[in-house]
Amino acid sequence: STPNMPLVHVKSRQSPYQGSKGQERQHVDPVKVPWNVRFSDYSPPDYTDPSVAAEPVWADKDGDRKSMKWNQLDGKVNRKSSLAYPYHVINYMPMNPRGRTGLCGRGLLGKFGPNHAADPIVSRWKRHPDGSVVVDDERDPVLEIVLVRRKDNNELALPGGMVDAGDTVSRTLKKEFGEEALASIEGGAAKTEEVKQAVDRIFTKGDPIYSGYVDDPRNTDNAWMETTAVNFHDETGEGFGEIPLQAGDDAGAVAWVEASDSMRLYASHSDFVRETIRRRQEDYVQRMAAASQTGLR
């Protein structure tokens, strides 16, 4: 059998760089991605987007690099990677732990090193009008998840976002779902409060799906995305199964979408959804088996 090769990032080598006016990356063959593979002609262009170079509050100041505390909490900024090993720092520049991307600098990312995000995977079972769960041709229950259409690149994505300095992943998961998906609930204050309580209930119990590096088109040699993806599942459909979804700040459109193994989503979101489908269907089958056993007694 073939050994499990480490994932070579693909979206992190896409050229031209996302959102730039044609900024090309140096071409890097997949075999040349790891830093320990010799690549004597490697001299990637340096690019930091003007929106980051202008030093807004959420971005690092380039001049502060010598005093930054790498691989640890630096004041309120979390510079620790969620990977099992620390990243290398050369000449006060953190190096992408997954290897070469064909571009140095920060691109669109505010922080040198890891830029932390949180991605909530909010799910429910697809149901018939009588409330029974819809099953597919293979008798597997059909899962629906909340997705947004990103305005920056028109791709479908989970309603996630960046973890602000000093904030926690769990707070960010709930906040981002609130901002993106529940932006303008119609039906007045009572309806808004009812939905908020449903969200609070389900967001107390999540199933961690992934924590680590993300193959993201914004990544560079010195700045990269890491995320924590957590599934919040409404088993009965009585929690936020009935939430009327409206598009929020960063989203062109937001809706419950039928989840499938073949769906194409932003960054590594498809991988997170596939794992969520696998786990929830497995739970469902076990519950049905247990219920039928109980019924036989």
Side-chain angles (χ1 to χ4, degrees), residues 2 24 44 74 79 173 178 188 222 230 257 276:
T2 55
E24 296 288 341
D74 182 7
R79 301 197 190 279
L173 285 162
N222 311 118
V230 180
V257 178
T276 301

Side-chain angles (χ1 to χ4, degrees), residues 24 30 37 54 63 93 96 121 124 149-150 158 242 288 295:
E24 296 288 341
V37 174
M93 272 292 196
N96 188 314
I121 306 161
R124 68 181 184 188
R149 189 166 292 284
R150 290 176 65 106
L158 297 167
E242 292 305 306
M288 290 298 106

Side-chain angles (χ1 to χ4, degrees), residues 78-90:
N78 182 13
R79 301 197 190 279
K80 196 172 177 348
S81 172
S82 48
L83 298 171
Y85 47 90
Y87 51 86
H88 294 292
V89 180
I90 298 172

Side-chain angles (χ1 to χ4, degrees), residues 179-202:
E179 281 180 8
E180 297 256 21
L182 309 177
S184 49
I185 297 163
E186 291 172 0
K191 184 70 183 170
T192 302
E193 190 50 40
E194 185 189 322
V195 169
K196 283 211 173 100
Q197 284 178 9
V199 171
D200 283 347
R201 261 199 319 278
I202 289 164

